Amino acid sequence: MSGFVGILVSDPWLHNQFTQVELRSLKSHFTSMRRESGKLTVSDLAPRMGRSKVVGDQNLTTEERAALIQSFHPNLNDEVDFEFYLRIYLKLQAHVNAIIGSGAKNSSAFLKAATTTLLHTISDSEKSSYVAHINNYLSGDEFLNKYLPINPSSNDLFEVVKDGVLLCKLINVAVPGTIDERAINTKSMLNPWERNENHTLCLNSAKAIGCTVVNIGTQDIIEGRRHLVLGVISQIIKIQLLADLNLKKTPQLVELVDDSKDVEELMSLPPDKILLRWMNFQLRKTEYKKTVTNFSSDVKDAEAYTNLLNVLAPEHKSPSKLAAKNPFERAKNVLEHADRMGCRRYLTAKDIVEGSPNLNLAFVAHIFQHRNGLSTKTKQISFLADDTQISREEKAFRFWINSFDSSMYINNVFEDLRDGWILLQTLDKVSPGIVNWKIASKPPIKLPFKKVENCNQVVKLGKQLKFSLVNIAGNDIVQGNKKLILAYLWQLMRYNILQLLKNLRSHSNGKEITDVDILEWANAKVRKNGSQTRMFSFRDKSLSDGIFFLELLSSVQPRAVNWSLVTNGVTDEEKKMNATYVISIARKMGCSIFLLPEDITEVNQKMILTLTASIMHWTLKEPLQLIKPTGSPDSHNGSGSLLDDSTSDSSLE
C-alpha cells in the first residue's frame, strides 16, 4: 500500500476499490463538503454530494439520494468520516449501476475498458469467462502450471497476476512474439524490483499491441486492483479473439462487399464492426429480418444467435427445440448448439438475455474463428496487395496516438484522422496551447469544408513547427493520402521526442536537440562502457544484428541484459532473436516504444531513431539507474510513455 493512500484509507478492502488518483479526488471533495460547516453528518451527504461533478451518481435526485443514504444508515446525526463517505459512495454507485443495467450504451467496452471511471463494480460472469480463457490457453505453460487452473468462482486471479508473469504470457498468446520471454523475470520468488519490471514490461507491451492503459500503473496490478486488472485482461483477450477480423488474415471477408469501393470501406472498419457486418451477412441467408447493430440489446432475445448457428452449422441444430418461445430457453438452446459445434461458450444463457456486450462479442468472435461460413474461393481485388512498410508504420503511429488518451482512440490512421480533429488533439498534446480551438469543428462533422478547415489548421501548425510539408494541403489529409499522412505523423512524433529530450536537458544548456545529438549520445554511452561497437547513422546496416542496442541498454542499466542469451547475430533468425530481446528489455526498463523486430533487422531509419531516443529519454529521467536496480520504488513505474511522460529536472551527464 502506498504511503499517501494508506494514510487516507486503513481498510485494505476499501483501499482496493479505488485508484490513488480517484482517492485523492474523492478526498478533495470530502474535505470541501466538510469545510462548509466544520463537520459533516449523514443528513448533509445527499445535498452536498449532488453538487459535485466528481461524484458519478448524477442519475439520482437529491431526494432519491437522501432516501437511499437513510436506508443504508438511519441515524442522520452521526458524523461522517472519510471511510464512511467512501462506503456510502460505493453503495450509491452500485445502486445506479443496477438501475442502468448492462446495456451497450453504459457498459464498459473491451477496447475502452473503464480505467478512469469512478464506478468500480466488476462482473462475476466476465471474470469467470476470462479465467476460463486463461486456463485454456495457458494450461501448458511450464511456469504457470503451479497456479493453473485458476478457480473462476474465487478471486485467485488477482493474486496470480501480482508477479506479472501471467499477463506477459497472455499478451504473447494474443499477439505471438510480442514479448521475448527471456526478458520476463520467472524466479519462484520475485523481489519487488523484479515484479515491477514484469509489470512495466506488460503495460508497455500492452500499449504496443493496441490496448488502452491510460491511468494504469504497475502498482495497481501489484496491489490487485480488480477493475483495472480485468480491464487490461479483457482488452488483451479481445485483441486475440478479433485477430482474424481483417482482410490480411481472412481474405474471404471480401465476400461481405460488392465492389472495390466497399472493400476500402471494409478495410477501414474496426474488427468489432467487421464482426457485426459478417454476422448480418450470414443472417441475410435466413428468415431473420432484423439488422444486428450491437452485441447487447440486439441479441438479448437469442433469435439472431439461433438463426446464425442454424446457417453456419445446420447439422447440429435440434428441430425439437426450434419453437422455444422464452428468451432464456432459446439462449440455452443456442449454447447447446454451440457446444455441439465445438465452440467455447464465453458466456451463460443469463449473460445473453441480460445483454453482456463484452461476453457476447467474445462468443461471436469465437464462432467466427471456429466456423465463419465464408467461401474458400477468394475474389481477387487488385489493390489488396499488402504494403508491409506502410502497414507497419500505420500501426506504430496509431498506437502512439492511442497512448496519449483513451478519448482519442483510433482504429485506422488513414480513416480516423481525415476530419482533422484527432490530429488537432494530438498537436495540442505535443505542443500545449498551439491549437486555435475557436476555429476547429468537433465531430460529427457533416459539412466537408469543415473537415478541410480542420486539416488546413493541421498543416498550418505543422509548418509553424517547421515540418517539411512541401505540396501538402489540408485536403490531402481529408482524402486519406497515405504517404502524406504518414510523413506528417512521423514529423509530429519526432518533434515530440526532441521536445521531451530538450526539456530533460533544460538545466544543462537548453539547446535544441537534434538527431545528431541522439546519435552522439548513444555512441558515447557505448564507448564509455568499454565497447568498440558504433553506429554511423540511423540507417547503418550493421545495426541489423541488434548488438549495438544491447550494448546501449547494458551501458545505461548494467543488469538489464543477460549476455548468455544474446546470439552472434549472423543469420536472419539470430538477428530477429536479438531484435526481439532488445525491444522487450527496453520496455521492461520503462521505454514506451512501438516498433517491431523487423524494424531493427531491416534498419528502418525512423523506428531506429525512436528506439534510441526512447532509451536516451529514459536515461535522462532516471539519474539513479546506475546504482538502483530497474523497477525500484524510486524509479519509473512504467505507466508513462516516452511520448507523454512529464518532464524532469535531470540534466545530461
Side-chain angles (χ1 to χ4, degrees):
M1 185 180 300
S2 62
F4 179 82
V5 177
I7 293 171
L8 294 182
V9 183
S10 58
D11 184 338
W13 177 87
L14 194 58
H15 169 264
N16 283 335
Q17 307 309 305
F18 304 92
T19 66
Q20 295 179 25
V21 172
E22 292 162 354
L23 276 174
R24 291 187 183 100
S25 180
L26 288 168
K27 178 64 174 178
S28 176
H29 175 239
F30 172 77
T31 302
S32 176
M33 290 193 298
R34 193 169 58 180
R35 192 179 294 125
E36 292 183 24
S37 58
K39 70 174 186 176
L40 189 68
T41 65
V42 176
S43 61
D44 296 325
L45 281 176
R48 295 188 190 179
M49 288 177 81
R51 298 175 202 162
S52 173
K53 293 181 180 179
V54 169
V55 180
D57 63 346
Q58 304 302 317
N59 295 281
L60 300 174
T61 64
T62 300
E63 292 73 20
E64 290 172 329
R65 193 180 300 109
L68 282 167
I69 291 173
Q70 188 169 2
S71 71
F72 301 148
H73 193 87
N75 193 344
L76 300 181
N77 294 320
D78 282 356
E79 189 168 348
V80 175
D81 63 14
F82 184 50
E83 291 195 9
F84 180 91
Y85 161 72
L86 291 178
R87 288 188 172 87
I88 291 294
Y89 171 80
L90 287 171
K91 288 179 179 179
L92 289 174
Q93 295 288 42
H95 178 81
V96 171
N97 195 41
I99 294 172
I100 292 174
S102 55
K105 181 178 178 181
N106 295 291
S107 297
S108 63
F110 262 113
L111 225 66
K112 294 187 180 177
T115 59
T116 57
T117 178
L118 293 179
L119 190 56
H120 295 327
T121 54
I122 66 171
S123 163
D124 285 334
S125 291
E126 288 192 25
K127 181 192 70 177
S128 297
S129 180
Y130 303 154
V131 168
H133 181 98
I134 289 167
N135 287 340
N136 179 66
Y137 283 95
L138 293 175
S139 60
D141 186 87
E142 185 177 342
F143 178 84
L144 294 174
N145 62 11
K146 58 187 173 185
Y147 304 113
L148 302 180
I150 300 169
N151 181 356
S153 62
S154 72
N155 287 321
D156 292 350
L157 171 66
F158 307 111
E159 292 299 317
V160 176
V161 300
K162 287 184 178 181
D163 65 10
V165 177
L166 185 145
L167 292 177
C168 288
K169 301 268 190 178
L170 191 62
I171 286 172
N172 270 355
V173 169
V175 183
T178 299
I179 297 175
D180 189 323
E181 297 201 1
R182 294 174 294 176
I184 304 173
N185 298 321
T186 55
K187 295 191 309 187
S188 56
M189 291 292 292
L190 299 178
N191 62 41
W193 296 323
E194 292 165 331
R195 231 180 14 243
N196 194 75
E197 283 182 328
N198 281 349
H199 289 303
T200 301
L201 173 60
C202 161
L203 291 175
N204 280 324
S205 299
K207 281 193 287 187
I209 66 170
C211 295
T212 299
V213 293
V214 180
N215 293 336
I216 301 178
T218 58
Q219 194 65 24
D220 295 315
I221 301 177
I222 289 170
E223 293 180 1
R225 301 291 178 86
R226 293 182 297 169
H227 63 291
L228 297 177
V229 169
L230 285 184
V232 173
I233 290 175
S234 68
Q235 292 182 80
I236 295 169
I237 290 176
K238 179 180 180 181
I239 287 169
Q240 177 188 343
L241 291 175
L242 297 180
D244 294 340
L245 267 298
N246 60 74
L247 288 167
K248 184 176 179 181
K249 290 282 189 70
T250 311
Q252 296 90 344
L253 284 167
V254 297
E255 243 189 282
L256 307 187
V257 297
D258 297 322
D259 55 41
S260 296
K261 184 177 179 181
D262 290 335
V263 172
E264 288 183 315
E265 180 192 351
L266 185 68
M267 291 172 70
S268 70
L269 292 176
D272 51 340
K273 298 299 183 186
I274 295 177
L275 189 63
L276 280 172
R277 182 170 289 199
W278 165 80
M279 188 174 179
N280 286 308
F281 173 79
Q282 299 296 352
L283 288 174
R284 284 196 292 273
K285 300 175 184 177
T286 71
E287 296 180 355
Y288 191 75
K289 301 302 180 187
K290 300 176 185 176
T291 298
V292 178
T293 61
N294 59 63
F295 293 106
S296 182
S297 57
D298 286 2
V299 295
K300 280 184 175 183
D301 59 11
E303 289 183 5
Y305 282 155
T306 300
N307 285 276
L308 177 66
L309 296 187
N310 283 347
V311 75
L312 292 176
E315 72 276 17
H316 293 302
K317 67 182 179 182
S318 177
S320 61
K321 297 182 178 180
L322 290 177
K325 301 295 183 184
N326 181 288
F328 188 81
E329 289 300 317
R330 200 179 300 122
K332 286 171 60 178
N333 293 343
V334 164
L335 295 179
E336 289 173 7
H337 193 159
D339 283 342
R340 290 191 291 272
M341 289 172 60
C343 291
R344 279 184 293 280
R345 295 189 173 194
Y346 284 98
L347 77 179
T348 65
K350 182 172 180 286
D351 296 322
I352 293 177
V353 297
E354 290 185 351
S356 172
N358 288 350
L359 297 183
N360 276 296
L361 184 147
F363 179 57
V364 178
H366 186 66
I367 291 171
F368 177 87
Q369 283 187 340
H370 189 76
R371 185 179 297 194
N372 60 40
L374 299 174
S375 171
T376 54
K377 295 180 180 179
T378 306
K379 289 189 287 185
Q380 297 299 314
I381 305 292
S382 59
F383 63 85
L384 278 182
D386 178 48
D387 186 324
T388 304
Q389 188 63 40
I390 286 180
S391 176
R392 204 186 301 162
E393 290 190 9
E394 185 276 335
K395 183 185 293 185
F397 295 138
R398 171 163 37 103
F399 292 164
W400 170 62
I401 291 172
N402 290 343
S403 73
F404 280 113
D405 187 343
S406 58
S407 68
M408 292 165 53
Y409 195 90
I410 60 173
N411 289 289
N412 185 294
V413 160
F414 306 124
E415 293 299 322
D416 296 350
L417 301 186
R418 288 171 61 175
D419 62 12
W421 180 257
I422 288 180
L423 276 173
L424 290 172
Q425 286 184 301
T426 308
L427 280 158
D428 198 52
K429 293 281 185 182
V430 169
S431 183
I434 195 173
V435 177
N436 183 352
W437 293 110
K438 292 180 180 179
I439 61 172
S441 299
K442 185 177 181 179
I445 304 173
K446 295 181 179 179
L447 300 174
F449 76 90
K450 290 292 184 182
K451 297 179 182 180
V452 175
E453 286 180 350
N454 278 355
C455 292
N456 282 340
Q457 186 179 180
V458 167
V459 173
K460 178 183 176 182
L461 295 177
K463 291 177 179 177
Q464 187 176 319
L465 297 176
K466 297 184 169 49
F467 294 176
S468 175
L469 299 175
V470 180
N471 297 326
I472 297 181
N475 196 50
D476 293 315
I477 298 174
V478 176
Q479 296 300 318
N481 186 309
K482 292 183 178 181
K483 291 187 177 180
L484 295 183
I485 290 174
L486 291 180
Y488 189 97
L489 287 175
W490 159 241
Q491 293 180 85
L492 185 58
M493 178 190 272
R494 179 179 172 277
Y495 174 83
N496 186 203
I497 294 170
L498 297 180
Q499 283 298 110
L500 288 170
L501 290 171
K502 177 186 174 184
N503 290 335
L504 292 180
R505 297 183 62 173
S506 61
H507 292 274
S508 176
N509 51 25
K511 78 179 186 71
E512 295 293 332
I513 301 294
T514 66
D515 297 2
V516 173
D517 292 325
I518 298 171
L519 182 73
E520 291 179 349
W521 172 86
N523 281 325
K525 278 291 182 184
V526 171
R527 185 169 58 251
K528 186 177 179 181
N529 204 41
S531 173
Q532 299 303 311
T533 312
R534 173 182 173 82
M535 71 168 162
F536 294 93
S537 72
F538 295 114
R539 61 167 69 94
D540 185 345
K541 293 302 181 184
S542 69
L543 299 175
S544 66
D545 62 11
I547 301 292
F548 177 84
F549 295 108
L550 291 168
E551 294 276 11
L552 179 58
L553 291 166
S554 184
S555 73
V556 299
Q557 175 51 276
R559 63 183 288 271
V561 178
N562 182 346
W563 286 99
S564 67
L565 302 176
V566 177
T567 75
N568 292 325
V570 176
T571 67
D572 289 345
E573 182 59 30
E574 287 179 343
K575 289 179 179 180
K576 186 171 183 180
M577 288 177 67
N578 284 351
T580 305
Y581 193 45
V582 166
I583 292 170
S584 292
I585 291 297
R587 287 176 179 153
K588 180 179 177 179
M589 286 168 48
C591 302
S592 185
I593 49 180
F594 302 96
L595 76 166
L596 295 173
E598 291 79 8
D599 292 316
I600 296 177
T601 59
E602 297 172 12
V603 194
N604 179 332
Q605 180 183 359
K606 296 175 183 177
M607 294 300 118
I608 293 292
L609 172 59
T610 64
L611 172 62
T612 312
S614 179
I615 298 170
M616 182 178 179
H617 183 265
W618 179 86
T619 305
L620 296 179
K621 282 181 66 71
E622 301 290 333
L624 299 178
Q625 89 282 358
L626 293 179
I627 58 175
K628 287 181 179 285
T630 305
S632 68
D634 293 327
S635 70
H636 189 277
N637 68 4
S639 63
S641 159
L642 160 66
L643 304 164
D644 63 6
D645 277 337
S646 60
T647 58
S648 164
D649 288 342
S650 308
S651 61
L652 193 64
E653 292 182 328

